[in-house]
Amino acid sequence: MIQPLTDAKPYTLTPGSNGVIETQTLEVSIGPQHPSTHGVFRMDCVLDGESVVALKPVMGYLHRNHEQLAERMAWLGSMPYTDRLDYFNSMTNNWAYALAVEKLAGIKVPDRAEYIRVIMAELTRLLNHSCVIGFMLQDLGAWGTPLLYAFRERERILDLYEAVSGSRMMCNYMRFGGVRVNLTDENLATAKDIATRFPRFLDEFEKLLTNNEVLLARTQRVGVLPKELAINAGISGPMARASGVDYDLRKVDKYGVYGRLEFRVPLGDIGDVYDRYYIRVLEMRESIKILQQALRDIPQGPHIAPEVKLRNFKIPPGDGYGRIEGPKGELGFYLVSDEGGKQPYRYHVRPPSFINLTILEDMCVGHKVADVVVILGSVDIVLGEVDR
Amino acid sequence: MEAIEKIKEIAAQAVPAAKIEIINSTPAAQQPALLVDREHIYAVGKFFKEDPRFQMDFCSCVTAVDYLPKADKSGCIEVVYHLYSVAQKQGPIVLKVRAPRELDQCRVPSLTPLWRACEFQEREAYDLYGVKFDGHPDLRRILMWDEFVDHPMRKDYVPPPDYEWEPTPHDDTLQRAVEEGGIMPPTAREELEKAKKK
Amino acid sequence: MAIDEGLKSELQKQGIFVLPFEQLYNWGRKSSIWPLQFGLACCAIEMIASAASRYDLARFGAEVFRATPRQADLMIVAGTVTKKMAPQVVRLYNQMPEPKYCIAMGACAISGGPFKDGYNVLKGIDRYIPVDVHIPGCPPRPEALIHAIMTLQRKIANQHLEKGQRPRWYDKNAASEYAIPAFGEHDLQPTANREVWQPPRDYRDVTLEDVKKP
Amino acid sequence: MGFIGKGLFEGMVVTARNFVGSYFDKERLVTVQYPEERVQVPENSRTFPFLVFDKDSDPVASMRCVACKICEVECPPQCIYIVMDRDEKGKPQQRPKVFDIDISVCMQCQICVEVCPFDAIKMDNNYEKSQYGRFDELVEHLPELLKSNEFYNKIKPTEATAVDAKLKADAEKKAKKAAPAAKPAATAAKPAAPAAPKPAPVAAPTAKIAIPDDAPFTPEQRQWLSGYLSTVAASGVAPAAAAPVAGTPAAPATEAPAGNWPWHDPGLGMQRRLDLAKETPIADKLMAAMAQTDCHACGYDCRGYADAIATGAETDLSLCLPGEAETANMLKKLMQEAGKL
């Protein structure tokens, strides 16, 4: 049942008191089946003509009870489920969960595993950002072209994922205390190849888009998010940084081996859709830098902490929160272990794209309805993560 | 950032009426939390947000945990806030507040007026756990449909009987299926009922 | 009216193709299956990947993803159908004109898959609408989706126009709309459309003895 | 800076270059013409699980799976269903009678493969599994699941070679461990000779020497033994004397590791094992009640679990998955008898 957000005004063409023709507001439900809602997401928009007066996001169409299922199974059993949270970035989801569990259990991860994790996470960032830009351009009306280019590059990275972990999308690669399979020299060579080739693709991508007049006209000064609001609303990731919030967990928490790697955190200053587009391009360039350093420095050694048991893994009672900088923002896991310790008593995911949606209405109000889909595209949501 | 005892002291000075208690987390995680009473959680949160020593301007994670009553202690719903500071790059300060499990008494003050980040997360806690946040601007269900009446993440939630025949069921699943009368092949049902009679 | 196979191939060598009308008709239909642009979850990404340059679904005449159900022939249920989404999925299928087909892509769409125990997850879309092809996998590779489309094409190619063997939708009075479940207080109402979904036979009877059989 | 529309023009140059390039540049020509040509799937690639057996001639006997049910328990979406095979007397046969995998539920996570201590379940890489029906076609039973070791070697050469080497080393280690124990075991087993198979009567040389089904032999031993016995019978040497020495006592010897526990043999029935452990301390009795597969489903081997229970370090008596309720009940009974519960 759709509940009306505003009272319908009578439709009249007679001039109002101050000589303006009064029109009726119109309520439009965009989604859950809509080509540019990035899944099953719905927006209830109230339109005055073409301008958005109010907008309420409606979600839950992909609420598949990840948290409750995780509370019923062993710690390890949830690992493949985290793949399905944000299904573009299974590697970073794995890492966030593994990191949270390692924090609770006090497991130390071998160096090589940390480097492998960095490599995989940065590849994921490349994959995610290029696809997001593709999808956003698709919403703008650039049917296909940028998305096809992005997916062409994505396939190269997925091939590496498959060679390493066995699956293209649902890698289930990280384990508590390390990673499941060691990287072979061949895999490392492939990763190096991707890292050297990707800048060329980025150049091409940028030539296609960055100065494109249509893109500029449609994205600049659209969906502006002020810095204070971004911080207050808990916005994280590229979206916050586009608004000038200098907050990157790779720098702040220095988890993994990010403390040893050199990279910049690009910041935007207006916080409009264009900034959010361009921040992602810049982040990809930084990711390539990180990749090259990690591939250069990766040490030999074990890929998993040997003392960690695969089965009957137990965690002492208590709680803890572990977070990483996923491609979409701060991905955190809040875990509570009880007396038995065999399975989580409470398992909560702090999904970045869910919280990034909080200010969707603030960004959209006042813009035309055609801009709404672009603004949504620039938020970068994946419904598996929004609804869990 | 200071030790948790110090933080507690500072907060207790700032909000003298508040009852604050330290709850320890898993030893390895080292994220002790402050348990604040319901009446003063808003004031304590406001203090942490505005005090120049902390400047907790970023509310990262809000969630609820359902503790069932046990032999030695009564149950409760615990709402957990993880606060970080973007300005000073520090954190977390973990605030916890407890409410009784009974649906009509399960109320806590909303922190959405302090942090917009809580808006959706508190709605989610309301939807899945039935915690009512006083002062929340728009407390509706967010994940389940509006007509839904239960709070499914509570530990005592019983899912509706919609068992469907799975070819690889386990004994307890089948047992439940027979009791619920789910969709299953007649042969399987007969067999199970026979086994039950035995 | 059968045509002699030998004659047929002889004619084919000279560039003359003789085939029954039925075959031509089915060939036309199977070579232009337009899917509905509609993704639910993880599998939708693989669906997009199979339409992208590397796997290129266009080679099978199925790349025209239509944004409206009125122009679509095929619904690829790609991802988990939750109870909140199920009425919309059924409504979309109802809005598609006949002949229409449905592919359940991935474990979640077939049976709820790994999420089948969730309180908000529908245990298979075949509870409400008939499914033509099932693709197991989580998610299936793009090739697996293409394989499923080929399987569906085979099914279409084998449909007959003769009376008595016609598919359901040639009958004017045949139902082409399925009951849309309503949101209840605890669950969907009804929980399954019994006209569409029938429990299978019991499958726990294939044992070691069957391996020993030649 | 440039003219108005420069950005658009540059973008079009990019698309034009890609379009023209797709005729010459292999980099830009990415389409794989499935089904005529296929992407070479990497060795690690995984789709659905299958069960490995070693010998083509007898898949049932050479199946590696011992029905320990670890995978069934650990499978996150619970899509595996196993029933242990039992003979008419209800004695476990160390192999599954029913092994079903519902691939319409399987999430391809590979956790079953990781937890299997016997390298019995592995991941296939066949992805063309589309079917019209859901239940008849998408539930895989033993006949579809069982695949040979050669097949495994073919699809995953590196991994399979490592597994083969590991299994071989394990077998050798086991044999080596058993060798020093062979002599004492042989003498120790002699009093138990009445229970051992009666050698076949001296009969026509061609007569098949019957080895009772419940004799504790692995298939290889059984084969060797029947060959040996028939040559003995054929050569006319009185097998009455030869058989007990050559055959029966050797069997527990090869099975028993250094600890020399005569009951540590999964082929024996529960009652028989307990009889063997009659005069021993409680830990040994507890051990005899286990399924003797050393599958580590409980987190220990059989010895370790028994010791843990006996010392009180482990209080959960239901951890022995292959032993099923029989073992759990017996453990409870033994502990009650010992006054520890």
Side-chain angles (χ1 to χ4, degrees):
Chain A
M1 194 179 70
I2 300 169
Q3 286 171 341
L5 296 170
T6 52
D7 299 326
K9 276 190 262 171
Y11 179 71
T12 163
L13 270 180
T14 48
S17 54
N18 49 1
V20 182
I21 295 176
E22 275 191 12
T23 49
Q24 201 181 4
T25 56
L26 182 69
E27 202 165 300
V28 177
S29 167
I30 305 178
Q33 185 261 338
H34 188 277
S36 55
T37 50
H38 299 240
V40 279
F41 178 66
R42 194 175 109 200
M43 293 174 280
D44 274 352
C45 302
V46 181
L47 303 180
D48 182 12
E50 272 206 59
S51 301
V52 179
V53 180
L55 182 147
K56 291 284 171 218
V58 183
M59 45 197 112
Y61 292 101
L62 196 56
H63 178 46
R64 39 190 185 183
N65 330 119
H66 174 69
E67 292 181 3
Q68 196 184 59
L69 291 173
E71 285 166 22
R72 287 191 206 152
M73 59 182 72
W75 294 97
L76 177 65
S78 301
M79 187 61 87
Y81 282 87
T82 60
D83 292 337
R84 286 146 181 90
L85 272 176
D86 171 357
Y87 30 80
F88 269 106
N89 312 324
S90 61
M91 289 285 189
T92 44
N93 298 343
N94 280 184
W95 192 1
Y97 180 51
L99 188 97
V101 170
E102 280 153 13
K103 213 168 197 173
L104 254 71
I107 300 166
K108 198 165 166 350
V109 184
D111 249 16
R112 186 177 172 86
E114 292 280 24
Y115 273 92
I116 295 176
R117 286 176 174 191
V118 167
I119 292 168
M120 289 303 164
E122 295 308 320
L123 283 174
T124 307
R125 211 177 302 275
L126 294 179
L127 181 157
N128 179 68
H129 285 357
S130 56
C131 288
V132 165
I133 294 172
F135 279 120
M136 199 181 91
L137 267 289
Q138 175 121 344
D139 295 350
L140 265 173
W143 261 92
T145 314
L147 188 65
L148 285 182
Y149 288 6
F151 264 68
R152 192 183 63 197
E153 291 313 302
R154 177 178 178 263
E155 289 292 336
R156 294 193 216 286
I157 299 175
L158 289 194
D159 279 352
L160 174 65
Y161 281 5
E162 193 176 17
V164 173
S165 74
S167 184
R168 283 159 53 86
M169 280 172 71
M170 306 305 175
C171 301
N172 185 17
Y173 181 54
M174 313 257 171
R175 287 286 174 267
F176 312 136
V179 294
R180 185 157 54 80
V181 194
N182 206 345
L183 283 189
T184 61
D185 292 344
E186 207 179 315
N187 298 144
L188 285 173
T190 320
K192 245 175 222 159
D193 186 46
I194 292 169
T196 44
R197 252 201 259 182
F198 210 84
R200 250 189 294 162
F201 159 72
L202 269 185
D203 292 343
E204 195 180 83
F205 212 45
E206 272 208 71
K207 216 176 233 172
L208 183 71
L209 302 173
T210 305
N211 292 322
N212 189 309
E213 279 80 2
V214 181
L215 182 85
L216 294 176
R218 288 290 308 274
T219 55
Q220 285 191 329
R221 310 276 164 183
V222 169
V224 175
L225 173 66
K227 185 177 174 184
E228 289 70 35
L229 180 62
I231 298 175
N232 192 257
I235 310 301
S236 53
M239 210 178 146
R241 290 192 286 274
S243 298
V245 183
D246 182 11
Y247 200 60
D248 187 322
L249 299 185
R250 291 175 290 177
K251 284 276 188 207
V252 176
D253 284 6
K254 294 195 173 58
Y255 61 93
V257 286
Y258 278 115
R260 299 183 210 167
L261 303 166
E262 216 172 280
F263 63 100
R264 290 185 315 124
V265 179
L267 295 178
D269 42 27
I270 304 173
D272 57 3
V273 173
Y274 187 78
D275 273 3
R276 292 199 275 274
Y277 152 72
Y278 203 62
I279 278 289
R280 294 201 166 97
V281 174
L282 292 177
E283 278 199 7
M284 280 195 269
R285 297 207 183 269
E286 293 302 317
S287 286
I288 292 164
K289 264 196 232 165
I290 299 175
L291 262 180
Q292 279 161 345
Q293 291 173 51
L295 286 166
R296 187 192 64 207
D297 297 344
I298 183 166
Q300 292 298 327
H303 63 282
I304 188 159
E307 74 275 8
V308 181
K309 275 196 289 184
L310 200 58
R311 304 189 58 243
N312 297 327
F313 178 79
K314 283 179 198 167
I315 289 183
D319 63 344
Y321 177 67
R323 55 178 196 165
I324 68 158
E325 179 73 32
K328 292 185 165 55
E330 175 186 333
L331 175 63
F333 280 82
Y334 175 66
L335 303 170
V336 180
S337 169
D338 64 349
E339 282 85 33
K342 278 188 177 176
Q343 57 200 42
Y345 184 75
R346 175 77 175 110
Y347 171 104
H348 175 69
V349 189
R350 187 256 190 226
S353 42
F354 174 61
I355 294 159
N356 287 358
L357 277 175
T358 314
I359 36 71
L360 186 65
E361 184 176 12
D362 303 54
M363 291 196 296
C364 291
V365 169
H367 288 291
K368 300 272 183 286
V369 66
D371 291 332
V372 169
V373 287
V374 185
I375 295 169
L376 180 72
S378 73
V379 176
D380 181 13
I381 58 165
V382 157
L383 265 294
E385 188 177 75
V386 173
D387 297 340
R388 281 148 292 147
Chain B
M1 228 170 52
E2 292 96 338
I4 189 75
E5 288 78 17
K6 189 82 195 299
I7 295 173
K8 184 198 158 189
E9 220 168 86
I10 296 171
Q13 272 170 12
V15 192
K19 283 185 221 113
I20 306 178
E21 202 183 306
I22 297 174
I23 300 179
N24 282 318
S25 65
T26 313
Q30 290 184 336
Q31 288 173 342
L34 298 176
L35 177 68
V36 187
D37 59 329
R38 279 196 279 175
E39 286 72 32
H40 297 95
I41 180 77
Y42 186 85
V44 171
K46 194 168 158 60
F47 166 73
F48 278 126
K49 187 188 169 196
E50 286 166 3
D51 190 88
R53 280 166 291 182
F54 299 108
Q55 271 191 307
M56 290 293 157
D57 47 8
F58 188 83
C59 179
S60 168
C61 174
V62 182
T63 188
V65 190
D66 180 12
Y67 290 102
L68 283 174
K70 275 187 190 162
D72 50 340
K73 52 186 171 186
S74 58
C76 65
I77 300 255
E78 191 177 82
V79 183
V80 188
Y81 296 87
H82 282 80
L83 309 179
Y84 286 87
S85 168
V86 170
Q88 302 194 5
K89 305 254 186 321
Q90 60 181 4
I93 288 181
V94 189
L95 294 184
K96 291 185 176 178
V97 57
R98 284 181 182 165
R101 290 190 77 250
E102 290 70 35
L103 271 177
D104 49 336
Q105 295 166 37
C106 193
R107 317 183 77 92
V108 293
S110 166
L111 298 193
T112 308
L114 292 175
W115 294 283
R116 268 292 292 282
C118 303
E119 185 184 336
F120 279 13
Q121 303 191 62
E122 285 184 344
R123 269 177 76 184
E124 187 194 304
Y126 163 70
D127 187 355
L128 303 181
Y129 284 92
V131 191
K132 287 188 193 68
F133 290 91
D134 296 324
H136 191 285
D138 182 24
L139 197 65
R140 290 178 292 136
R141 284 192 177 271
I142 188 166
L143 294 176
M144 301 305 287
W145 55 86
D146 291 334
E147 292 87 346
F148 199 72
V149 293
D150 304 323
H151 299 287
M153 280 294 283
R154 286 186 165 232
K155 292 275 176 188
D156 53 0
Y157 168 73
V158 183
D162 69 336
Y163 175 82
E164 175 188 312
W165 171 249
E166 303 155 17
T168 56
H170 293 257
D171 296 343
D172 45 340
T173 328
L174 278 178
Q175 188 63 41
R176 217 192 80 201
V178 172
E179 281 156 17
E180 284 174 1
I183 314 175
M184 52 198 312
T187 46
R189 184 180 297 284
E190 280 161 23
E191 234 172 70
L192 283 162
E193 270 160 11
K194 232 185 267 166
K196 212 182 160 192
K197 266 177 205 161
K198 264 185 202 171
Chain C
M1 182 205 63
I3 307 160
D4 179 42
E5 283 299 317
L7 178 67
K8 208 166 141 183
S9 65
E10 194 59 39
L11 281 170
Q12 233 169 56
K13 276 176 205 155
Q14 299 179 26
I16 302 167
F17 288 84
V18 184
L19 54 151
F21 175 70
E22 180 182 282
Q23 215 168 327
L24 179 72
Y25 176 73
N26 282 342
W27 172 78
R29 288 200 305 124
K30 80 170 190 188
S31 310
S32 62
I33 308 172
W34 289 5
L36 177 62
Q37 184 176 31
F38 163 64
L40 288 165
C42 334
C43 293
I45 306 299
E46 286 296 61
M47 187 171 80
I48 296 168
S50 58
S53 26
R54 192 176 193 191
Y55 297 100
D56 198 9
L57 206 52
R59 294 177 295 124
F60 297 84
E63 88 287 12
V64 201
F65 280 92
R66 305 316 295 179
T68 158
R70 297 290 183 204
Q71 301 169 349
D73 309 306
L74 165 69
M75 182 155 88
I76 303 175
V77 185
T80 319
V81 188
T82 59
K83 285 177 182 167
K84 193 169 178 178
M85 190 63 198
Q88 280 84 328
V89 177
V90 180
R91 195 169 289 132
L92 283 170
Y93 192 68
N94 284 348
Q95 288 174 356
M96 282 164 54
E98 292 281 11
K100 55 189 174 187
Y101 302 95
C102 176
I103 290 181
M105 179 182 183
C108 296
I110 303 175
S111 67
F115 298 98
K116 69 181 190 311
D117 290 332
Y119 51 84
N120 191 27
V121 175
L122 190 73
K123 290 174 181 171
I125 188 58
D126 58 352
R127 279 188 169 203
Y128 292 114
I129 55 177
V131 176
D132 295 282
V133 179
H134 299 81
I135 323 173
C138 192
R141 291 173 64 92
E143 289 103 321
L145 177 60
I146 295 177
H147 182 252
I149 288 194
M150 282 159 31
T151 316
L152 182 66
Q153 285 180 336
R154 223 168 20 244
K155 180 173 186 168
I156 296 174
N158 290 331
Q159 284 177 341
H160 295 290
L161 292 175
E162 289 150 35
K163 252 202 175 128
Q165 297 175 334
R166 284 176 182 174
R168 167 186 53 88
W169 35 268
Y170 274 105
D171 182 2
K172 262 188 198 159
N173 302 321
S176 76
E177 298 210 340
Y178 297 89
I180 297 168
F183 290 132
E185 292 191 340
H186 305 283
D187 201 354
L188 290 178
Q189 297 297 335
T191 54
N193 184 351
R194 287 307 186 98
E195 285 165 24
V196 179
W197 204 95
Q198 292 300 330
R201 67 177 181 86
D202 195 342
Y203 289 93
R204 307 217 289 180
D205 53 0
V206 181
T207 62
L208 206 61
E209 298 304 311
D210 298 79
V211 184
K212 289 173 185 164
K213 276 179 211 156
Chain D
M1 292 308 289
F3 51 93
I4 296 173
K6 183 167 174 266
L8 271 175
F9 180 73
E10 277 177 355
M12 282 173 184
V13 171
V14 171
T15 42
R17 201 186 296 142
N18 268 281
F19 171 67
V20 179
S22 67
Y23 284 93
F24 309 104
D25 191 353
K26 269 203 171 158
E27 283 286 290
R28 297 194 197 276
L29 187 66
V30 287
T31 306
V32 180
Q33 301 286 337
Y34 179 85
E36 288 82 19
E37 64 178 17
R38 281 150 204 268
V39 179
Q40 173 78 39
V41 289
E43 204 189 310
N44 269 341
S45 179
R46 58 177 200 251
T47 54
F48 300 104
F50 67 92
L51 296 174
V52 187
F53 65 84
D54 284 314
K55 271 197 221 115
D56 271 337
S57 52
D58 194 359
V60 173
S62 64
M63 196 185 336
R64 286 185 194 166
C65 179
V66 300
C68 69
K69 298 194 186 180
I70 294 181
C71 52
E72 188 186 271
V73 172
E74 291 290 319
C75 174
Q78 298 281 292
C79 68
I80 303 178
Y81 176 72
I82 302 172
V83 176
M84 191 186 265
D85 195 17
R86 286 167 188 279
D87 65 4
E88 302 82 48
K89 290 174 207 150
K91 209 173 69 183
Q93 295 291 301
Q94 299 301 317
R95 64 183 183 210
K97 180 171 149 214
V98 178
F99 198 117
D100 290 350
I101 295 180
D102 187 356
I103 62 167
S104 74
V105 172
C106 174
M107 72 199 282
Q108 308 177 341
C109 62
Q110 215 184 10
I111 282 182
C112 51
V113 176
E114 279 171 71
V115 297
C116 182
F118 302 100
D119 289 299
I121 189 164
K122 294 288 166 196
M123 292 307 253
D124 199 352
N125 58 13
N126 173 22
Y127 45 79
E128 291 169 331
K129 294 228 173 202
S130 301
Q131 299 287 357
Y132 295 126
R134 166 175 165 190
F135 288 99
D136 269 321
E137 292 89 343
L138 289 183
V139 183
E140 300 206 326
H141 307 284
L142 267 175
E144 296 98 78
L145 284 172
L146 278 174
K147 286 179 182 164
S148 69
N149 195 22
E150 279 95 76
F151 172 80
Y152 178 41
N153 267 292
K154 206 177 90 199
I155 60 167
K156 304 193 171 178
T158 326
E159 195 188 303
T161 318
V163 166
D164 283 349
K166 188 187 140 226
L167 288 178
K168 210 176 151 200
D170 280 358
E172 272 168 16
K173 218 158 116 195
K174 215 172 169 187
K176 219 184 228 171
K177 258 188 180 177
K183 265 179 195 165
T187 47
K190 256 189 185 157
K198 275 257 156 59
V202 192
T206 47
K208 200 173 164 255
I209 311 294
I211 300 160
D213 282 337
D214 56 348
F217 299 131
T218 61
E220 289 93 327
Q221 288 169 338
R222 192 179 292 274
Q223 209 177 3
W224 175 84
L225 195 59
S226 55
Y228 178 78
L229 286 181
S230 48
T231 44
V232 168
S235 65
V237 178
V245 178
T248 327
T254 46
E255 286 291 316
N260 186 23
W261 309 299
W263 56 84
H264 192 51
D265 173 2
L268 299 171
M270 166 77 83
Q271 200 48 51
R272 177 99 175 78
R273 294 200 302 266
L274 285 175
D275 285 347
L276 286 169
K278 219 174 203 170
E279 306 296 318
T280 54
I282 174 76
D284 285 353
K285 273 198 201 124
L286 288 170
M287 185 190 170
M290 317 262 165
Q292 316 298 335
T293 45
D294 279 339
C295 65
H296 294 80
C298 50
Y300 316 85
D301 56 7
C302 293
R303 182 77 245 170
Y305 186 34
D307 288 343
I309 295 175
T311 55
E314 182 64 68
T315 47
D316 193 347
L317 299 183
S318 58
L319 290 178
C320 186
L321 293 177
E324 297 180 329
E326 193 186 17
T327 295
N329 293 339
M330 185 51 75
L331 289 177
K332 208 171 163 196
K333 200 175 139 207
L334 286 169
M335 288 297 275
Q336 272 163 350
E337 277 170 14
K340 288 199 181 181
L341 212 64

